[in-house]
Amino acid sequence: MGEGVRRAASGYGVRMDTTIELTVDGHRRQLTVDTRTTLLDALRERLAVTSPKKGCDHGQCGSCTVLLDGRRHLTCLALAVAFDGSEVVTAEGLAADDALHHVQEAFLEHDGYQCGYCTPGQVCSAVGVLDEAKQGHPSHVTEDLEADVELTDDEIRERMSGNLCRCGAYPGILAAVKEAAGA
Amino acid sequence: MRELDYVRASDVEEAVALVSGDPDARYLGGGTNLVDHLKLGIARPARLVDVGRLGLDGVEEQDGPDGRVLHVGANVRNSDLAAHPVVRSAFPVLSRALLSGASGQLRHQASTGGNLLQRTRCVYFQDVTTPCNKREPGSGCSAVGGYGRQDAVLGASEHCVATHPSDMAVAMAALDAVVVVRGRQGERRVPVRELHRLPGDRPDLDTTLEHGDLVTGVELPFTDAARCSTYLKVRDRASYAFALVSVAAALELDGDVVRDVRIAWGGVAHKPWRATAAEEALTGRAVDEDAVRAAVDAELAAARTTDQTAYKLPMLRGATTRTLLRLAGKDPS
């Protein structure tokens, strides 16, 4: 369908396709997306960045988690056009050259996965958890809202609850995040 | 998904003009609820007006018409609001409620305004293959006589038994928060307790706002009770699940006697439910188990349950008792 037809169909005289720029894993990428494209589909289908995974596609499983402008964020409930100019770091981009990120190392060390499908999301989420804890952000299980945060097992379980693992590798994930936290 | 025009508004005036002049336009905030509903075919706007970059992201103490308030911009993210030092110390019920909602990722994404305006919903509202008066007025209610464990026990109608899923809004109802709204006629203030509505015969309307009204912020009045407040959420899983029931409570004692108490319930109605009858029953009395249970029963006199929702009443009694005894410094028995 041509641009002219789209204008007539939408009745707004405004295009459906929009050109946006994202920085993905350190690389500036420009692309033209249909306004309905999610950030997840833009990354996977348009930019061939496939480490964020499509699980439920409805914000329930966490496998599409990336670090968006420095914080863990779902990409399935995000329209790409709304994030023009943003910086995305995926699990793939966490590794520098050939050296794995220390959270990735910890997942390897503790078998924090089985099939691996949820792992990129788990790893990005864990990096976010460590950063939030460092900033002193409390969680649902934090006893004293105004005290320093200590990443106990309960704290890690609660903070990672947005990432499901159907293989049930939770004990390994917990151990990995705990080691990465230096606990 | 229907063809969709996207506009990033440059200021509040432009945003309000764009949406209020177009019945097919919707505001886009953090998108956690709306994008899901676009995908499911529940929301079918022709245009999205993105208000996510309008500023409106400050948290500041201000002098309001009725005293000192904490003004929270509509774009403040749920995670940032929960972690804000003033919220943690002066409004702990709000921190606790926010932290009990959704997941870490979603709390970074969800905004204060968007959390308030997420749809009141049940499993049938989410399923476009089933009749739903809220989604399609007049089509019938699949929840009445269907799966109904999450359904409302207060203020429901024959047309809709859905519950409002927000935790944050329940805390704000207990805090007597005021929502700042910009519409075509300018700015006005709406008590959060009057923002959401009961279903009646118009379950398609979740709130009292007009099309095009934009929530720009929320004001939280500083009170002694707010400082002594907390939130208890009861759910099927330990984390990342909607409330079966929840209790937001704030308490100011004069010696042993209640001077000021605010109780709001989540998971029980089409809107956050402020338990005013229970508050009246407790005011001027000492907080003990019998007094709280009697107060809760006064509120629940109007409750209507089914076989599937009857469990919510004893759960509310237990959760409310535990919450108030804890605030009063008495270990629940």
Side-chain angles (χ1 to χ4, degrees):
Chain A
M1 190 186 286
E3 182 93 341
V5 179
R6 281 212 174 97
R7 282 170 193 245
S10 74
Y12 288 114
V14 181
R15 64 199 181 282
M16 285 277 295
D17 291 337
T18 304
T19 299
I20 62 168
E21 190 176 279
L22 299 169
T23 301
V24 181
D25 294 335
H27 303 289
R28 281 165 78 116
R29 308 285 295 266
Q30 201 177 62
L31 69 162
T32 300
V33 290
D34 181 298
T35 47
R36 294 167 289 189
T37 310
T38 62
L39 187 54
L40 178 60
D41 286 340
L43 290 167
R44 289 183 58 85
E45 309 299 335
R46 303 295 308 285
L47 298 177
V49 175
T50 56
S51 68
K53 296 292 185 278
K54 186 178 281 194
C56 69
D57 209 25
H58 286 281
Q60 297 166 1
C61 77
S63 65
C64 68
T65 304
V66 301
L67 297 168
L68 184 77
D69 295 324
R71 312 213 290 187
R72 56 186 172 139
H73 202 286
L74 301 179
T75 51
C76 71
L77 293 184
L79 295 177
V81 283
F83 294 94
D84 183 22
S86 285
E87 185 185 2
V88 175
V89 176
T90 72
E92 189 181 350
L94 285 170
D97 299 325
D98 288 336
L100 291 180
H101 187 279
H102 72 280
V103 171
Q104 293 169 322
E105 289 281 9
F107 270 72
L108 276 177
E109 179 70 24
H110 292 279
D111 269 344
Y113 46 79
Q114 184 175 311
C115 80
Y117 195 79
C118 71
T119 311
Q122 299 276 1
V123 166
C124 287
S125 195
V127 170
V129 165
L130 300 186
D131 184 54
E132 290 153 26
K134 196 177 286 179
Q135 291 179 51
H137 288 194
S139 84
H140 169 62
V141 299
T142 308
E143 200 71 35
D144 180 351
L145 284 177
E146 298 179 75
D148 288 342
V149 172
E150 188 193 341
L151 285 180
T152 60
D153 289 3
D154 280 353
E155 284 280 2
I156 293 169
R157 286 192 189 99
E158 163 59 25
R159 288 165 192 260
M160 292 293 291
S161 73
N163 292 83
L164 306 188
C165 171
R166 291 310 305 267
C167 301
Y170 296 112
I173 294 169
L174 174 65
V177 178
K178 201 168 179 183
E179 177 177 302
Chain B
M1 206 187 292
R2 171 181 185 183
E3 285 199 339
L4 190 59
D5 182 49
Y6 170 90
V7 186
R8 186 175 292 173
S10 53
D11 57 41
V12 169
E13 287 72 19
E14 186 195 19
V16 171
L18 282 169
V19 174
S20 58
D22 181 353
D24 279 339
R26 290 278 304 271
Y27 292 116
L28 173 68
T32 56
N33 192 215
L34 181 54
V35 176
D36 189 33
H37 285 171
L38 291 174
K39 289 180 174 187
L40 291 169
I42 294 168
R44 294 174 50 79
R47 166 179 271 183
L48 291 181
V49 176
D50 190 345
V51 292
R53 304 201 194 187
L54 289 181
L56 306 176
D57 51 6
V59 179
E60 293 159 350
E61 292 186 35
Q62 290 179 357
D63 286 316
D66 301 311
R68 197 110 181 113
V69 299
L70 189 69
H71 180 276
V72 179
N75 274 330
V76 175
R77 303 292 141 171
N78 288 179
S79 55
D80 294 320
L81 188 57
H84 194 281
V86 177
V87 176
R88 285 197 250 176
S89 63
F91 306 97
V93 63
L94 182 55
S95 269
R96 294 277 181 209
L98 284 161
L99 292 169
S100 73
S103 67
Q105 291 96 313
L106 287 167
R107 290 191 294 271
H108 280 321
Q109 195 171 339
S111 65
T112 305
N115 187 319
L116 284 173
L117 297 183
Q118 66 179 301
R119 297 302 310 267
T120 298
R121 55 199 190 268
C122 78
V123 290
Y124 296 102
F125 176 78
Q126 296 285 112
D127 177 357
V128 294
T129 66
T130 61
C132 168
N133 287 323
K134 179 179 284 297
R135 192 168 13 80
E136 209 173 312
S139 63
C141 175
S142 302
V144 171
Y147 169 82
R149 195 160 162 269
Q150 309 270 351
D151 290 352
V153 295
L154 287 161
S157 76
E158 61 186 301
H159 305 289
C160 182
V161 291
T163 51
H164 195 264
S166 172
D167 297 293
M168 182 195 83
V170 179
M172 287 182 173
L175 292 169
D176 281 323
V178 174
V179 182
V180 186
V181 178
R182 187 79 70 90
R184 270 180 294 189
Q185 313 300 324
E187 187 174 276
R188 67 185 195 276
R189 286 173 161 67
V190 180
V192 75
R193 291 164 62 186
E194 294 167 21
L195 180 72
H196 299 100
R197 56 186 295 286
L198 293 174
D201 60 1
R202 289 299 305 275
D204 53 314
L205 302 176
D206 291 346
T207 73
T208 56
L209 297 181
E210 301 277 321
H211 181 74
D213 281 346
L214 177 67
V215 171
T216 60
V218 176
E219 294 173 345
L220 307 170
F222 285 96
T223 64
D224 288 336
R227 211 165 254 290
C228 177
S229 64
T230 195
Y231 188 74
L232 179 63
K233 181 173 181 176
V234 185
R235 46 187 160 174
D236 285 329
R237 295 192 296 258
S239 186
Y240 202 13
F242 287 147
L244 298 171
V245 305
S246 68
V247 179
L251 180 67
E252 184 195 355
L253 292 174
D254 182 1
D256 268 352
V257 172
V258 174
R259 175 181 289 166
D260 185 9
V261 63
R262 331 292 186 75
I263 302 166
W265 289 334
V268 301
H270 197 261
K271 58 184 283 187
W273 189 270
R274 182 75 179 261
T276 47
E279 293 172 4
E280 278 168 33
L282 273 175
T283 304
R285 295 199 51 176
V287 178
D288 58 41
E289 190 163 339
D290 289 344
V292 179
R293 283 179 176 267
V296 170
D297 285 344
E299 188 72 40
L300 290 179
R304 296 286 174 272
T305 61
T306 66
D307 287 352
Q308 294 179 73
T309 58
Y311 76 94
K312 290 194 176 190
L313 305 193
M315 195 176 267
L316 279 167
R317 267 180 220 113
T320 308
T321 305
R322 188 164 156 183
T323 305
L324 284 169
L325 289 180
R326 187 172 293 167
L327 288 177
K330 299 175 180 176
D331 278 339
S333 53

